[in-house]
């Protein structure tokens, strides 16, 4: 699989450069990347497996819509996976990884009052990747990253529409979550770290549903 093409298309999809519902043309993409359709199809099959696109014969490549019910189901799966990853990661965190989390915390603080959805999204991705890699389980990592991409799109969609007041609340929430994680990693147990990861993700979901979609049940 052409990894560079895969990463480029995935970045465009999750950051909504390709809006949900957009139809992409295989021939156009092949021309852009200077490849034949065979390696491009391998990439598209992977993105379809990740539920980011749907290949429509004789029509094109559909960028999947943001469907709340589907994403809610994904969040439910993520809640359990994040708890396991958080527990495993807490058992293995190195001083270098702790320093990295501390640096990410400072960057989160700098984004309060400075709206930059792409950068806050990148910080959140780095937090997730730090925990994923520290867990040491490649099967959990693959599943967690695939599910995260699906929920990230809804969060990013809402971030770009925030006014500065809502933006500050969101940036503050990520900052506070990271500070709490840092504290429990230093002074708590691995099980407490896993539970905190799960609790924070559930709060994140409730925040999306209540603030942006007017829904409070889960």
């Amino acid at each position: 699989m052409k990894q560079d093409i895969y990463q480029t298309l995935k970045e465009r999809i999750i950051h909504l450069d390709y809006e949900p519902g957009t139809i992409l043309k295989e021939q156009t993409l092949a021309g852009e990347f200077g490849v034949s359709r065979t390696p491009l199809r391998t990439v598209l099959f992977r993105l379809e497996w990740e539920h980011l696109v749907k290949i429509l014969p004789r029509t094109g490549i559909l960028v999947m819509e943001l469907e709340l019910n589907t994403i809610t189901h994904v969040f439910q799966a993520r809640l359990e996976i994040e708890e396991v990853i958080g527990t495993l990661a807490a058992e293995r965190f190195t001083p270098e990884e702790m320093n990295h989390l501390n640096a990410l915390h400072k960057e989160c603080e700098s984004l309060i009052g400075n709206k930059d959805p792409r950068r806050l999204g990148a910080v959140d991705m780095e937090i997730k990747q730090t925990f994923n890699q520290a867990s040491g389980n490649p099967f959990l990592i693959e599943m967690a990253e695939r599910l995260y991409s699906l929920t990230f799109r809804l969060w990013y969609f809402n971030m770009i529409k925030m006014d500065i007041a809502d933006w500050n609340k969101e940036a503050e929430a990520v900052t506070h979550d990271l500070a709490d994680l840092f504290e429990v990693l230093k002074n708590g147990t691995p099980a407490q770290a896993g539970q905190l990861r799960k609790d924070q993700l559930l709060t994140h979901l409730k925040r999306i549903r209540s603030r942006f979609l007017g829904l409070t049940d889960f």
Side-chain angles (χ1 to χ4, degrees), residues 119-192:
R119 188 54 205 154
L120 185 59
V123 169
D124 193 67
M125 285 182 187
E126 287 192 49
I127 296 169
K128 301 292 186 295
Q129 289 168 0
T130 301
F131 272 86
N132 288 349
Q133 294 304 316
S135 76
N137 188 314
F139 297 99
L140 282 173
I141 292 170
E142 180 182 28
M143 189 179 300
E145 290 182 348
R146 182 157 61 96
L147 295 178
Y148 177 70
S149 294
L150 295 174
T151 58
F152 179 88
R153 287 205 305 157
L154 179 59
W155 184 46
Y156 193 80
F157 174 80
N158 286 308
M159 280 200 295
I160 61 180
K161 293 181 176 297
M162 292 178 189
D163 59 25
I164 192 61
D166 281 337
W167 167 263
N168 286 339
K169 291 177 183 178
E170 192 67 21
E172 287 168 358
V174 177
T175 302
H176 292 157
D177 282 354
L178 192 46
D180 291 343
L181 283 170
F182 197 80
E183 180 63 26
V184 79
L185 287 169
K186 288 194 302 180
N187 300 312
T189 66
Q192 287 173 328

Side-chain angles (χ1 to χ4, degrees), residues 16-30:
L16 308 181
D17 296 326
Y18 295 144
E19 294 184 0
T22 298
I23 298 292
L24 307 175
K25 295 299 182 180
E26 190 175 318
Q27 185 174 1
T28 302
L29 292 174

Side-chain angles (χ1 to χ4, degrees), residues 188-207:
T189 66
Q192 287 173 328
Q195 185 62 51
L196 181 58
R197 290 285 290 162
K198 182 177 182 177
D199 292 344
Q200 289 179 345
L201 181 58
L202 181 57
T203 300
H204 174 72
L205 172 58
K206 289 179 177 178
R207 198 164 63 242

Side-chain angles (χ1 to χ4, degrees), residues 26-79:
E26 190 175 318
Q27 185 174 1
T28 302
L29 292 174
E32 177 186 353
F33 293 108
V35 297
S36 67
R37 291 189 175 183
T38 299
L40 178 61
R41 282 174 183 164
T42 302
V43 171
L44 295 174
F45 288 148
R46 173 60 186 251
L47 293 171
E48 184 175 48
W49 178 74
E50 294 178 356
H51 299 285
L52 292 172
V53 304
K54 184 175 181 59
I55 299 173
L56 304 175
R58 297 179 297 279
T59 300
I61 314 303
L62 172 68
V63 178
M64 296 297 287
E65 298 279 2
L66 295 171
E67 298 179 351
L68 181 60
N69 286 339
T70 298
I71 292 174
T72 298
H73 292 156
V74 174
F75 264 115
Q76 290 172 334
R78 279 194 63 200
L79 286 170

